[in-house]
Amino acid sequence: MNYQDIITIESGKRSGKPCIRGMRITVYDILEYLAGGMTEAEILEDFSELKPEDIKACLLFAAEREKKLFVAAL
């Protein structure tokens, strides 16, 4: 999966935070819901406009960002 087709960054939307497919739902929102104990099914039920691949793209985006932070710290 290429998360770059799903995760968008627009300076005028949500203060430039990474969002899902140009919507106002941020990667941070999804990660916070997952960390808070919501399941993927619960998130998809609450946000009918989301698809399972959107949640996976958020996880891939976060993993890639974490990898870049680790490399930059070396």
Side-chain angles (χ1 to χ4, degrees), residues 27-58:
V27 170
Y28 179 84
D29 294 334
I30 298 302
L31 296 175
E32 190 172 52
Y33 296 141
L34 291 169
M38 285 182 78
T39 65
E40 181 178 320
E42 289 171 329
I43 295 169
L44 295 173
E45 185 177 317
D46 284 355
F47 299 93
S48 60
E49 64 271 34
L50 292 180
K51 303 174 187 176
E53 54 266 21
D54 295 332
I55 295 174
K56 289 176 183 48
C58 289

Side-chain angles (χ1 to χ4, degrees), residues 1-73:
M1 166 188 281
N2 184 359
Y3 70 81
Q4 295 166 336
D5 295 334
I6 296 172
I7 305 302
T8 59
I9 299 174
E10 300 173 42
S11 61
K13 190 172 287 176
R14 297 292 304 263
S15 301
K17 293 178 183 174
C19 293
I20 300 169
R21 293 184 285 115
M23 294 184 275
R24 297 189 59 78
I25 303 169
T26 66
V27 170
Y28 179 84
D29 294 334
I30 298 302
L31 296 175
E32 190 172 52
Y33 296 141
L34 291 169
M38 285 182 78
T39 65
E40 181 178 320
E42 289 171 329
I43 295 169
L44 295 173
E45 185 177 317
D46 284 355
F47 299 93
S48 60
E49 64 271 34
L50 292 180
K51 303 174 187 176
E53 54 266 21
D54 295 332
I55 295 174
K56 289 176 183 48
C58 289
L59 294 171
L60 284 169
F61 178 85
E64 185 69 22
R65 188 170 240 181
E66 177 66 20
K67 183 175 20 173
K68 287 178 184 177
L69 287 174
F70 178 73
V71 171

